[in-house]
Amino acid sequence: MTAVVPLAAAGLLAGGWALAGPGGAGPGGPPDGGDARGGGPAGASPGTSAPGGGEPGAAPSGGLPGQVPADPSGGPLAGKVVVIDPGHNPGNFRHPDEINKQVDIGTNRKECDTTGTSTRDGYAEAAFTLDVSHRLRDALRRLGATVELTHDADRPFGPCIDERARIGNLAGGGKGADAVVSVHADGSAVGNRGHHVILPGLVKEGAADTAPIVAPSRRLGERIEAEFARATGSAPANYLGGGTGLDVRKDLGGLNLSTVPKVFVECGNLQDPKDAALLSDAAWRQKAAQGIANGVGTYLLG
């Protein structure tokens, strides 16, 4: 693991840029980091998303859907484009035929999307990911970045995993994002706790060629894992990754089809009661968003 640049050294704390605050699925899981359990009305009901404040994600006049311009006052990430991919969609459960449609991920074919998992009392992963993504968007904008969302629950379902990859590849007016973060929560067994970041493995098959992004994606993932742990106090996952908080996978279309640095962040396990209590707490979600933003920032600043 490469050394992590301290936040102060990276310039994120200088000038008050950082927010105030302290300091998917495992192997054999379902498509693209999401557990298919909890997909009915209780597990993925619309209206459960709690946006983290700030303006909605609708595009300004002439902008792309989900695109939010950077703060005109500037910041250390001015000129950088970051795509945030909120895992799943609150409406997926209403469209089983559409989300079960197979799409090409290079190595094989997989479902367009899944419903995601939920806590045992019905807090849906799709609601969690959208909330954290809104908070992350706002944090990155305060650092000066231009942020695009793959969706903002502004479509009935999806987008499909191949389209999510294309959005990152074509962001920034077609130049591609400087970094893409897909926000998720896992749906593993009770007792499996902690966060992990999924990195792309080396894949070169069909439409997939991750060779150019494997190394930068690892650097991005290492920075996010370290800053996420610092901000939330969360430990690396105790059920995969050997305590590193990192997991390499070759079966996720969102990573296989990406041509820009991209990672998935599994913020915790919604099926474990202790993790679920954290992920259900708005104050903890703010810390999670801050940690991811700081990780992206230290990566982009080198």
Side-chain angles (χ1 to χ4, degrees):
M1 183 177 295
T2 58
V4 175
V5 177
L7 289 181
L12 291 179
L13 293 182
W17 292 114
L19 296 176
D32 282 69
D35 189 308
R37 291 173 292 177
S45 58
T48 54
S49 174
E55 62 287 345
S61 178
L64 297 173
Q67 183 175 6
V68 182
D71 189 326
S73 65
L77 300 186
K80 301 295 186 181
V81 176
V82 180
V83 168
I84 303 171
D85 178 28
H88 313 291
N89 182 317
N92 275 356
F93 77 96
R94 289 197 182 97
H95 299 272
D97 292 340
E98 291 88 347
I99 67 169
N100 286 323
K101 179 182 177 181
Q102 299 280 303
V103 298
D104 184 7
I105 67 166
T107 54
N108 53 54
R109 298 183 69 83
K110 271 195 162 184
E111 291 87 349
C112 159
D113 201 5
T114 66
T115 59
T117 188
S118 71
T119 63
R120 298 190 174 195
D121 60 1
Y123 180 49
E125 181 185 1
F128 170 84
T129 64
L130 196 60
D131 180 89
V132 172
S133 294
H134 285 160
R135 298 170 187 270
L136 175 58
R137 173 200 64 194
D138 294 345
L140 289 168
R141 289 190 65 232
R142 279 190 279 268
L143 292 170
T146 297
V147 180
E148 300 180 26
L149 302 180
T150 59
H151 77 94
D152 200 8
D154 50 355
R155 51 194 295 168
F157 64 91
C160 294
I161 54 179
D162 56 340
E163 183 182 352
R164 290 173 188 260
R166 285 195 297 272
I167 291 170
N169 296 344
L170 298 175
K175 296 179 181 178
D178 295 290
V180 182
V181 178
S182 190
V183 179
H184 285 265
D186 210 353
S188 189
V190 174
N192 290 347
R193 298 195 61 197
H195 65 271
H196 66 280
V197 181
I198 303 176
L199 314 175
L202 183 59
V203 174
K204 189 174 179 65
E205 187 175 344
D209 182 3
T210 62
I213 70 163
V214 166
S217 296
R218 174 168 284 274
R219 292 194 297 271
L220 173 63
E222 289 171 346
R223 300 293 173 86
I224 290 175
E225 192 285 320
E227 296 300 338
F228 188 94
R230 188 196 309 271
T232 64
S234 168
N238 62 6
Y239 57 102
L240 49 74
T244 65
L246 303 172
D247 185 33
V248 177
R249 290 178 63 173
K250 300 180 180 181
D251 63 323
L252 302 180
L255 296 180
N256 288 358
L257 298 177
S258 183
T259 60
V260 295
K262 181 175 182 178
V263 299
F264 282 41
V265 182
E266 297 280 1
C267 297
N269 177 17
L270 281 169
Q271 288 286 300
D272 177 81
K274 293 181 180 178
D275 266 12
L278 295 174
L279 275 63
S280 300
D281 180 71
W284 189 91
R285 294 196 299 271
Q286 184 65 38
K287 295 176 184 178
Q290 176 188 331
I292 298 171
N294 288 343
V296 171
T298 58
Y299 164 77
L300 292 176
L301 292 174

